[in-house]
């Protein structure tokens, strides 16, 4: 027992045998009338859907992990479980330290408020005190390059400007764990580069990183380790090069097969006519 | 975990977590207030003008309809309506507190209590603003009647206000969680609130029921009006808060106080009991279902 405890000490994120279940209702029932109608008709059935199946992941302090997989493989669900947005159905998640999750940049941005007001609102949503944000305010503004637009409402901002604002608030605050979910696809090249540098900078300072991206070259430069998910199952995890090369091979193979099918499908109706 | 650590790190999903997010509460409340008054020409004036206009209309209509001479009827009416509107507005906004913040709740972890709580609190600030209307009416009466309508007793309105705030919180939490699962709850809520309004003696007075009951006894029929009055006085928390509120605002200016307007310690205890019970119920249901919110929003 003591051995297990000791080994657990090293991990900042421990995900143990996590299963996430959704009720994939055939029709979404969210009003009372519908509920009673279905209840009377005995149609109140739920279809179980497992978004993650028995997934385990252990991350040590300062490690950078990439989470890869095709769309709908459960990557975002895993990130949501780690950032406490979703509760697992089975298994447990323990996280040590503060988390900044960039699952969607500027989720808490209110378009009717000004940039200045949004910095405070977002900072507070991430769990920081007003005093702390006061101290970091200039730094945040400088990084976001939005000095000129501080007092204009965010609804007039472009999506790039909005994500700059979101990223600046989330990262300036130096969390212990940074969770990034394919959010840097917006914004210009220069800002993207700036964000990458910032993330590298944070990594060197000991921040732990979880990174979801479909861009294999970015993933390879940013991360040391990788976890590959497919349909909620862990295919493999470990060193980034191994996982990535296996992943790319599989994807290439799938692509080739799809092409073949398409060709066959194209041939068939042509033959019938 | 030591005791201090436990206080600093309340368990995830508990109500105590809101204290950790108190700065967020301030931000959310100021956001609501700012957005309400920003870019509106009359700004704050609206929250005073609106109850004033409604009071004028209702005073004219109801003094004509009931023809019962209640002294300083506009003050009586406005005091009652202000209190009822606080519970009505705040619970109505809290009802959609969770469903209006779906994007946020899907992307970050925040104590979910924050959203209904911030709506209740910003309604509370609105309520305090609308006390300006009451002030104006009392000032007008002071001038026209040639006697001061204000008294130190007025300050004691803090007591019913706190009771109503705690009650509204519980109601708000309960409604907010229910609305996630059943979106049509709003229609039921609206109907219930209308009924509640008529049961709250805003534009009539409970004394009316007692004189009716006396007549019924004289006629030899069952005094059902007295039973009705009893139900409103004992089982309607909003009326209990309203009664206390009037006791500190309207009653001090009267020469003679009718028995029904008299507040006893029993009213205070009953009001506090209802507030705490509603709060406990609200928190209990909210806590129980909050993990499922994400699946329905």
């Amino acid at each position: 027992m003591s051995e297990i405890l000791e080994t657990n000490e090293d991990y900042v994120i421990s995900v143990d045998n996590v299963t996430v279940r959704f009720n994939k209702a055939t029709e979404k029932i969210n009003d009372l009338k519908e509920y009673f109608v279905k209840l009377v008709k005995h149609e109140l059935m739920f279809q179980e859907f497992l978004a993650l199946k028995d997934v385990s992941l252990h991350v040590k302090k300062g490690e950078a992990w990439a989470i890869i997989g095709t769309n709908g493989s459960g990557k975002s669900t895993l990130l949501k479980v780690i950032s406490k947005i979703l509760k697992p159905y089975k298994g447990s998640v323990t996280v040590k330290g503060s988390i900044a999750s960039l699952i969607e940049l500027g989720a808490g941005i209110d378009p009717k408020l000004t940039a200045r007001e949004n910095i405070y609102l977002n900072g507070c949503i991430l769990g920081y005190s007003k005093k702390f944000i006061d101290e970091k305010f200039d730094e945040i503004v400088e990084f976001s390059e939005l000095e000129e637009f501080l007092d204009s409402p965010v609804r007039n901002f472009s999506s790039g400007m909005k994500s700059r604002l979101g990223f600046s608030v989330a990262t300036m605050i130096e969390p212990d764990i940074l969770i990034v979910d394919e959010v840097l696809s917006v914004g210009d090249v220069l800002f993207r580069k700036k964000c990458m540098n910032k993330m590298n900078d944070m990594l060197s300072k000991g921040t732990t990183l979880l990174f979801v991206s479909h861009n294999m070259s970015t993933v390879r430069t940013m991360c040391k380790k990788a976890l590959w998910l497919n349909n909620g199952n862990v295919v493999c995890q470990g060193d980034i090069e191994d996982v990535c090369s296996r992943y790319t091979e599989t994807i290439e193979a799938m692509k080739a097969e799809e092409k073949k099918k398409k060709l066959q499908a194209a041939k068939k109706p042509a033959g019938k006519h | 975990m030591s005791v201090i650590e436990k206080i600093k790190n309340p368990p995830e999903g508990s109500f105590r977590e809101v204290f950790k997010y108190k700065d967020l509460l301030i931000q959310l409340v100021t956001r609501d207030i700012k957005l309400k008054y920003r870019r509106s020409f009359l700004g704050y004036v609206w929250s005073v003008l609106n109850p004033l206009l409604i009071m004028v209309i209702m005073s004219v209509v109801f003094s004509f309809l009931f023809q019962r001479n209640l002294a300083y009827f506009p003050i009586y009416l406005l005091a009652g309506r202000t209190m009822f509107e606080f519970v009505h507005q705040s619970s109505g906004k809290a009802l959609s507190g969770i469903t209006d913040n779906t994007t946020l709740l899907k992307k970050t972890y925040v104590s979910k209590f924050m959203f209904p709580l911030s709506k209740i609190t910003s309604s509370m600030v609105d309520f305090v603003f609308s006390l300006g209307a009451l002030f104006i009416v009392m000032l007008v009466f002071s001038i026209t009647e040639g006697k001061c309508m204000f008294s130190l007793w007025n300050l004691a309105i803090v007591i019913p206000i706190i009771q109503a705030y705690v009650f509204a919180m519980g109601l708000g939490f309960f409604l907010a969680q229910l609305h996630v699962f059943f979106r049509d709850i709003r229609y039921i809520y609206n109907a219930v609130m209308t009924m509640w309004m008529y049961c709250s003696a805003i534009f009539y007075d409970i004394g009316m029921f007692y004189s009716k009951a006396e007549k019924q006894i004289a006629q030899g029929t069952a005094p059902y009006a007295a039973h009705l009055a009893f139900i409103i006085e004992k089982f309607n928390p909003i009326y209990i808060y309203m009664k206390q509120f009037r006791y500190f605002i309207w009653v001090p200016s009267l020469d003679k106080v009718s028995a029904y307007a008299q507040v006893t310690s029993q009213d205070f205890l009953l009001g506090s009991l209802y507030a705490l019970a509603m709060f406990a119920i609200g928190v209990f249901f909210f806590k129980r279902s909050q993990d499922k919110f994400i699946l329905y929003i």
Side-chain angles (χ1 to χ4, degrees), chain A residues 21-23 28-35 46 80 83-87 101 103-104 107-110 112-114 117 120-122 124-131 153 155, chain B residues 12-13 17 20-21 23-28 30-32 34-35 38-39 103-110 112 115 179-185 188 290-291 294-297:
Chain A
R21 188 180 68 163
F22 286 113
N23 282 330
K28 201 170 184 183
I29 299 166
N30 58 8
D31 65 34
L32 206 56
K33 185 195 78 197
E34 203 101 326
Y35 182 81
F46 292 106
K80 280 182 183 174
S83 39
K84 296 195 286 186
I85 299 166
L86 264 176
K87 275 261 166 79
S101 52
I103 289 184
E104 190 175 284
I109 284 181
D110 189 320
K112 283 174 263 152
L113 293 176
T114 65
E117 289 160 343
Y120 281 99
L121 183 62
N122 253 295
C124 286
I125 286 169
L126 293 172
Y128 297 96
S129 69
K130 183 168 181 297
K131 211 181 116 207
R155 64 158 165 244
Chain B
E12 195 179 303
E17 224 181 355
K20 208 175 110 186
Y21 285 99
D23 282 353
L24 176 61
L25 181 67
I26 296 166
Q27 290 293 324
L28 288 172
T30 38
R31 173 183 74 170
D32 284 352
K34 266 185 192 164
L35 290 180
R38 180 175 292 173
R39 252 182 280 283
T103 38
L104 196 57
L105 289 169
K106 276 181 183 169
K107 310 293 177 196
T108 37
Y109 177 80
V110 198
K112 296 179 185 65
F115 300 104
H179 191 237
V180 174
F181 307 108
F182 304 116
R183 299 295 156 95
D184 51 355
I185 213 77
I188 301 168
Q290 61 178 349
D291 289 341
I294 185 97
L295 306 174
Y296 290 85
I297 56 180

Side-chain angles (χ1 to χ4, degrees), chain A residues 98 128 136 139 170-176 198 202 205 207:
Chain A
S98 62
Y128 297 96
K136 292 276 177 181
E139 220 177 308
T171 55
M172 253 334 125
I173 280 156
E174 280 168 23
D176 299 322
K198 177 75 195 172
M202 288 168 81
K205 278 182 191 161
T207 301

Side-chain angles (χ1 to χ4, degrees), chain A residues 53-183:
Chain A
K53 296 163 201 157
D54 204 24
V55 171
S56 296
L57 171 69
H58 298 271
V59 179
K60 281 186 187 146
K61 192 179 183 311
E63 278 183 338
W65 277 76
I67 296 162
I68 54 177
T70 49
N71 285 335
S73 55
K75 303 186 295 291
S76 297
T77 309
L78 180 62
L79 294 190
K80 280 182 183 174
V81 168
I82 293 171
S83 39
K84 296 195 286 186
I85 299 166
L86 264 176
K87 275 261 166 79
Y89 167 62
K90 270 186 206 156
S92 69
V93 178
T94 16
V95 175
K96 286 176 205 152
S98 62
I99 305 182
S101 52
L102 301 182
I103 289 184
E104 190 175 284
L105 277 183
I109 284 181
D110 189 320
K112 283 174 263 152
L113 293 176
T114 65
R116 183 193 303 275
E117 289 160 343
N118 264 307
I119 290 176
Y120 281 99
L121 183 62
N122 253 295
C124 286
I125 286 169
L126 293 172
Y128 297 96
S129 69
K130 183 168 181 297
K131 211 181 116 207
F132 190 83
I133 304 165
D134 279 335
E135 283 165 19
K136 292 276 177 181
F137 189 80
D138 291 334
E139 220 177 308
I140 295 170
V141 174
E142 200 194 306
F143 190 84
S144 68
E145 303 167 15
L146 291 169
E147 290 93 340
E148 287 170 63
F149 308 103
L150 261 186
D151 291 305
S152 32
V154 170
R155 64 158 165 244
N156 300 336
F157 280 23
S158 69
S159 54
M161 282 158 89
K162 265 184 233 164
S163 49
R164 248 148 63 189
L165 187 64
F167 187 87
S168 311
V169 178
T171 55
M172 253 334 125
I173 280 156
E174 280 168 23
D176 299 322
I177 299 159
L178 182 66
I179 292 179
V180 183
D181 186 0
E182 192 86 83
V183 280

